[in-house]
Amino acid sequence: MKDIFTEIWATARRNKLRTALTGFSVAWGIFMLIFLLGAGNGLINAQLQSSDRFLTNSMMVFGGWTSKPYDGLKEGRKISLNEKDMTSTGCLFADNVDNVGASLSQYGVTMSFGNQYVNPDLAGVYPNHFEINKRELLYGRFINNIDIRERRKVLVVNKDHAKELMPKGYARLVGRHVNINGTAYKVVGIYKPDKSMQDNETFTPFTTIKTIYGMGDEVGDIEFSFHGLVTEQQNKDFEDRYRTKLNTNHRAAPDDNSAVWLWNRYMDNIQMNTGIGIIRTALWIVGLFTLLSGIVGVSNIMLITVKERTREFGIRKAIGATPWSILRLIIVESVIITTIFGYAGMLCGIAANEYMDATIGHEKVDTGMFEATIFANPTVGLDVCIEATLVMIAAGTIAGLIPARKAARIRPIEALRAE
């Protein structure tokens, strides 16, 4: 075996350009596959990270404007959701709906503590708001059912506002009382802002804000989680039934999609998963074709090698070399070249992905509604890298086998005649 390696090394040194081009095609194929998969995974992970800001199986309902006349009323009426809509949601759709809540806001209030003050939006919410919108609590607690039932004057403020009100040791604001437009509220929690448009909100119990500001039966936006809606068709059927009921509550046409707006996050998730599947498939197709170009390069070079060395193989057979020895020489040469350069391509691909992760993988962009990451963990699993390299090695072996069989079968007299 040592003699074979020595001979292969000597052949490679005599044909540096040919060996380098063969190796480059192999390395480039594996490098591009790993790099493309890494970049694609970075985009996909960033998208998944952004979508993870909300509970997947949740829905938000907003009042809109009627777009068509109905029941003697003209189009263009503003629809404001009310307590009847909340009751309909929880009772008539109980087979699918879990916890029903609502969010009602009072904008531009002044919250002060000592000489410090901020101007948040005061949002009255139910306890399920924390789960549906995936708020991250830093200190204290969120709004609970007792707060709702007893209409407690309690607040959950964001970290930035807490720092402004109590610059030194903002965590100590929990348990203190702050003033909002002349009314004292107790701070019971501090949450982490997510750099979105909702970061200016300070939360209080839904019943408290309705009582203090006299908002009647208005409920603002309805939000709830649901179960049992798995397919796209099931979600569409539920949306149609639900919209029809709410439209009926407000004397709007049952098929008026503008009267009530539905934000179904599960449907968003289905569409996103479909898009991700298309991206993954496209990346694999491009990557595999790139690998194929490397395999073709190896095969072509091995065919050229056999043709150039035909006289040499004829002399070998004339002096007693067996077909197996010639076959083994060509196959081993193909495997060695593919393995060495394939491993180099794998390392370069991993290095490129790590560089991408260390640079643009930590950059964020302001979308106007929230701050999003461009790339998130743009890397490929080590198993994929190893598998790609093994595929290239196996392909290189097969690519070398075809010309090797041709060389092993050639008759010495024919080989010596070759030019």
Side-chain angles (χ1 to χ4, degrees), residues 111 122-125 141-157 173-189 202-214:
M111 179 167 62
L122 187 61
V125 297
R141 64 173 179 83
F142 197 69
I143 306 300
N144 59 35
N145 289 320
I146 298 177
D147 296 329
I148 297 290
R149 185 171 61 251
E150 298 183 358
R151 295 180 172 84
R152 290 177 172 176
K153 298 182 184 69
V154 295
L155 296 176
V156 179
V157 303
L173 189 63
V174 175
R176 306 290 184 92
H177 285 80
V178 299
N179 186 288
I180 295 183
N181 295 352
T183 302
Y185 290 79
K186 183 179 180 179
V187 177
V188 296
T202 289
F203 300 108
T204 193
F206 180 84
T207 51
T208 301
I209 196 172
K210 284 194 67 175
T211 302
I212 291 178
Y213 293 96

Side-chain angles (χ1 to χ4, degrees), residues 286-356:
V286 173
L288 290 176
F289 271 107
T290 307
L291 271 182
L292 181 62
S293 68
I295 295 170
V296 171
V298 173
S299 180
N300 287 338
I301 294 298
M302 296 311 298
L303 285 170
I304 293 172
T305 299
V306 170
K307 186 175 181 180
E308 289 181 349
R309 300 173 67 183
T310 300
R311 289 176 62 84
E312 174 192 336
F313 294 147
I315 294 173
R316 285 173 178 269
K317 295 191 73 172
I319 61 177
T322 62
W324 165 243
S325 65
I326 296 175
L327 186 72
R328 182 176 59 177
L329 175 65
I330 298 174
I331 290 178
V332 171
E333 180 178 344
S334 176
V335 170
I336 289 176
I337 291 175
T338 309
T339 301
I340 292 175
F341 287 96
Y343 183 73
M346 182 187 75
L347 292 181
C348 290
I350 294 174
N353 286 339
E354 290 297 329
Y355 177 77
M356 221 176 4

Side-chain angles (χ1 to χ4, degrees), residues 229-285:
L229 305 177
V230 180
T231 66
E232 187 173 350
Q233 188 60 48
Q234 287 175 334
N235 279 269
K236 287 182 177 179
D237 292 342
F238 176 86
E239 288 180 12
D240 290 340
R241 290 186 289 111
Y242 183 69
R243 181 182 283 109
T244 298
K245 176 55 185 173
L246 264 59
N247 284 0
T248 302
N249 289 348
H250 297 273
R251 294 176 63 187
D255 58 345
D256 190 347
N257 294 334
S258 299
V260 174
W261 292 85
L262 303 180
W263 180 12
N264 189 340
R265 286 152 176 171
Y266 192 85
M267 289 290 287
D268 289 350
N269 189 65
I270 290 176
Q271 294 170 1
M272 182 186 66
N273 287 337
T274 301
I276 287 175
I278 294 173
I279 292 174
R280 288 191 191 278
T281 302
L283 289 172
W284 272 105
I285 290 174

